[in-house]
Amino acid sequence: MNRSTRKSSGLSASELAKMIDHTKLGPDVTLEDIKLLCQQASTHKFASVCIPPCYVKEAKLMLLGEDAPLVGTVVGFPHGNSTRDSKQMEAHNAVRDGVKEIDMVMSIGQFKSGLMKEVQKDIEQVVLISYRKAIVKVIVECCLLTDQEIRTACLLAQNAGAHYVKTSTGFAHGGATVDDVKLMHKTVGGSLGIKASGGIRTHEQALALIKAGATRIGASASISIVEGMNHD
C-alpha cells in the first residue's frame, strides 16, 4: 500500500498527515531533536511543527519553501499562569521569529476563579499581536474543566478572536477525548477550528477525534499514526 491509500474513514494517510501538527515540547528537547522533527515533517508533509520558542529561528531555516510545513510554537506553556505582559512578549517574539501558528494556554487558574474578563483579555492581546501573521489556538486543558466550563472557555476564545480551541497541553493528567471534542465542536464548530492533542498515538484515535469534529491533530507519534494507516 502507498500513503495515499484511503481508509473507511474517507481520509487517506496523506490527507491525515496534512491535519497533524508534528510536536516536540518536552523540557529536554535539543536542537538535534528539532532538526529531526523538521526533516520528518517535510518527508511526511505534516501541517506544521509545534516546538519550543527557543528553536523557532532554526526551524524556519530548515522549513523553507511555499509547501513546507508551517512553524508553530507555544505561549504561556504549559500552565497558562504567566502574566499578560509575559504572554504578550512571548507572542511578539514568536511572530518576530517567523511563526505562523501560536498555541497559547488559557489562564486556567483565573478562569476557575471566575475572572472571565481577564482570561479573554489575555487571549485578545495575543490575537492582536499575531494579527495577519499567525493563527492563534487556545489550549483550554479540558481535563481540568467541567463540560459547562469547556463550553464557556470555547466561547471566550471565540469572542477574543482566536482561530482554534485546543483540548490539551499534554502535560496535565489527561489528553484529548472524543467526548470533549464533540462538546467543543457543538459549541464553536464551524466558527473555530478544533485541535485535539494529548495522548494521541494511533491512527484509530486520530480518526475518531476527526470524526468527532477535530480539524487538527497535535501529536508526537505522528509518523506511527500515518504509517499505521498503511499497515492495517
Side-chain angles (χ1 to χ4, degrees):
M1 279 184 200
N2 59 43
R3 293 186 68 248
S4 64
T5 302
R6 289 185 179 275
K7 296 299 176 182
S8 58
S9 64
L11 281 179
S12 67
S14 58
E15 288 168 337
L16 176 58
K18 291 175 183 177
M19 298 177 71
I20 293 177
D21 294 344
H22 194 33
T23 303
K24 196 84 171 176
L25 288 169
D28 58 347
V29 175
T30 66
L31 181 56
E32 286 303 311
D33 292 330
I34 298 302
K35 289 179 180 177
L36 178 59
L37 192 84
C38 290
Q39 289 170 1
Q40 293 168 338
S42 293
T43 298
H44 292 273
K45 301 187 184 304
F46 293 127
S48 77
V49 294
C50 187
I51 60 174
C54 61
Y55 296 122
V56 167
K57 288 181 180 179
E58 289 85 355
K60 285 293 293 183
L61 293 174
M62 297 172 201
L63 295 172
L64 298 173
E66 188 175 332
D67 296 328
L70 302 176
V71 176
T73 194
V74 288
V75 163
F77 197 84
H79 302 304
N81 53 11
S82 50
T83 65
R84 185 175 304 152
D85 286 348
S86 295
K87 290 174 184 173
Q88 288 175 322
M89 183 58 71
E90 286 185 80
H92 170 79
N93 290 343
V95 168
R96 177 201 64 198
D97 292 343
V99 299
K100 296 300 182 184
E101 304 197 342
I102 290 175
D103 290 25
M104 72 167 292
V105 187
M106 179 183 76
S107 185
I108 301 161
Q110 287 184 313
F111 179 86
K112 299 286 276 187
S113 299
L115 301 173
M116 303 305 176
K117 290 183 179 179
E118 295 299 311
V119 175
Q120 183 169 323
K121 189 69 172 177
D122 272 2
I123 302 169
E124 286 173 347
Q125 290 303 303
V126 172
V127 170
L128 180 63
I129 289 167
S130 308
Y131 182 65
R132 291 188 175 178
K133 299 182 180 75
I135 68 168
V136 176
K137 307 171 198 159
V138 179
I139 307 171
V140 303
E141 204 70 277
C142 291
C143 67
L144 302 180
L145 306 181
T146 66
D147 284 359
Q148 184 54 53
E149 286 173 334
I150 291 171
R151 292 187 193 96
T152 301
C154 287
L155 292 172
L156 278 180
Q158 182 180 41
N159 292 340
H163 305 89
Y164 279 76
V165 284
K166 177 178 170 182
T167 59
S168 326
T169 61
F171 286 76
H173 65 256
T177 71
V178 166
D179 286 344
D180 287 342
V181 170
K182 283 182 178 178
L183 180 58
M184 297 168 91
H185 178 69
K186 185 176 180 181
T187 305
V188 294
S191 298
L192 301 185
I194 297 168
K195 179 174 174 178
S197 184
I200 306 169
R201 297 182 178 87
T202 68
H203 71 274
E204 291 93 348
Q205 286 177 290
L207 293 174
L209 291 162
I210 291 168
K211 184 178 179 181
T215 56
R216 192 75 72 88
I217 299 292
S220 57
S222 316
I223 295 173
S224 60
I225 288 171
V226 295
E227 289 186 346
M229 290 186 73
N230 293 328
H231 294 114
D232 278 357

